[in-house]
Amino acid sequence: EAQVTQNPRYLITVTGKKLTVTCSQNMNHEYMSWYRQDPGLGLRQIYYSMNVEVTDKGDVPEGYKVSRKEKRNFPLILESPSPNQTSLYFCASSRNSPGLVLSEQFFGPGTRLTVL
Amino acid sequence: QKEVEQDPGPLSVPEGAIVSLNCTYSNSAFQYFMWYRQYSRKGPELLMYTYSSGNKEDGRFTAQVDKSSKYISLFIRDSQPSDSATYLCAMSARSGGSNYKLTFGKGTLLTVNP
């Protein structure tokens, strides 16, 4: 089954404790992206990657890191989480840059992160 | 003015009603227009995709784009309780090289009551 998986699905942590949210896709997609979704603010892009070893900042990259060492994986790293990073996080993948014709973006199930 | 404006609702309708969801935008560079549906505790999924002014129909769903007014709509006919979800509009424009950036509306929460 074609899918995007994220782990963990739920995480409660404390300020300053480094964490990683994993993302994996099995569709051989080149483009992967991380979003955060907050009430009243909608979906905002954190980082994206157009291919292996190619990453770039989205709209809200502060406090986050990413890496793309393999095509299928795109982990999101919070080196020193803070309470304002409490949010619902989505990983997404698409064959090419989303918005291009026939480049549907597939979303993972989400990771709900709480930073105390 | 925000790039994409979408009324967050919530919108509550009886089963069988025609639902109209709307977004306005300010960036003339937007070329592609999408509607995503997001069920509770799930990721968004693509529902409709258009790239020109006019209407596109898919079953009970019709997407409408008016580029001259910078206005897009999603119509749901004969709405069903299973249509209850948050609907997000999304638009894309080239952001450099071969990359296209997707900008989402905040989403409208729809409830269809049996």
Side-chain angles (χ1 to χ4, degrees), chain A residues 9-10 31 35 37 40-43 45 48 50 59 88 90 97-102 104-105 107-110, chain B residues 32 34 36 38 41-46 49 51 86 88 92 95-96 98-107:
Chain A
R9 294 289 313 279
Y10 302 91
Y31 188 101
Y35 294 88
Q37 187 175 38
L41 296 175
L43 269 169
Q45 191 180 52
Y48 66 92
M50 296 188 72
D59 296 318
L88 180 59
F90 288 102
S97 185
L100 280 173
V101 177
L102 300 180
E104 177 180 351
Q105 189 161 205
F107 283 81
Chain B
Y32 303 103
M34 287 143 271
Y36 281 80
Q38 185 178 16
R41 297 190 180 88
K42 301 281 188 183
E45 56 180 350
L46 184 65
Y49 183 111
Y51 58 90
T86 296
L88 303 105
S92 73
S95 68
S98 59
N99 186 45
Y100 280 74
K101 181 187 171 185
L102 208 57
T103 302
F104 286 87
K106 294 179 182 178

Side-chain angles (χ1 to χ4, degrees), chain A residues 85-98:
Chain A
Q85 293 178 298
T86 292
S87 186
L88 180 59
Y89 290 87
F90 288 102
C91 180
S93 76
S94 55
R95 185 169 55 184
N96 301 111
S97 185

Side-chain angles (χ1 to χ4, degrees), chain B residues 18-35:
Chain B
I18 296 174
V19 176
S20 172
L21 304 166
N22 311 294
C23 287
T24 59
Y25 63 95
S26 58
N27 186 354
S28 299
F30 286 136
Q31 296 177 273
Y32 303 103
F33 305 89
M34 287 143 271
W35 286 95

Side-chain angles (χ1 to χ4, degrees), chain A residues 25-45:
Chain A
Q25 50 94 4
N26 63 0
M27 295 168 279
N28 201 36
H29 284 166
E30 292 191 349
Y31 188 101
M32 297 186 74
S33 182
W34 276 102
Y35 294 88
R36 60 178 290 174
Q37 187 175 38
D38 302 287
L41 296 175
L43 269 169
R44 294 178 293 167
Q45 191 180 52

Side-chain angles (χ1 to χ4, degrees), chain B residues 8-111:
Chain B
L11 185 61
S12 182
V13 301
E15 184 175 352
I18 296 174
V19 176
S20 172
L21 304 166
N22 311 294
C23 287
T24 59
Y25 63 95
S26 58
N27 186 354
S28 299
F30 286 136
Q31 296 177 273
Y32 303 103
F33 305 89
M34 287 143 271
W35 286 95
Y36 281 80
R37 179 175 60 195
Q38 185 178 16
Y39 290 115
S40 181
R41 297 190 180 88
K42 301 281 188 183
E45 56 180 350
L46 184 65
L47 189 61
M48 299 281 289
Y49 183 111
T50 59
Y51 58 90
S52 59
S53 283
N55 294 351
K56 180 178 181 180
E57 193 172 312
D58 184 1
R60 296 184 295 110
F61 299 89
T62 299
Q64 187 176 81
V65 174
D66 183 345
K67 288 188 175 181
S68 62
S69 301
K70 297 190 178 68
Y71 188 90
I72 71 170
S73 299
L74 178 70
F75 298 97
I76 307 174
R77 290 184 300 281
D78 186 26
S79 56
Q80 302 295 309
S82 58
D83 295 328
S84 298
T86 296
Y87 290 80
L88 303 105
C89 63
M91 310 177 187
S92 73
R94 191 185 289 271
S95 68
S98 59
N99 186 45
Y100 280 74
K101 181 187 171 185
L102 208 57
T103 302
F104 286 87
K106 294 179 182 178
T108 300
L109 177 60
L110 170 68
T111 301

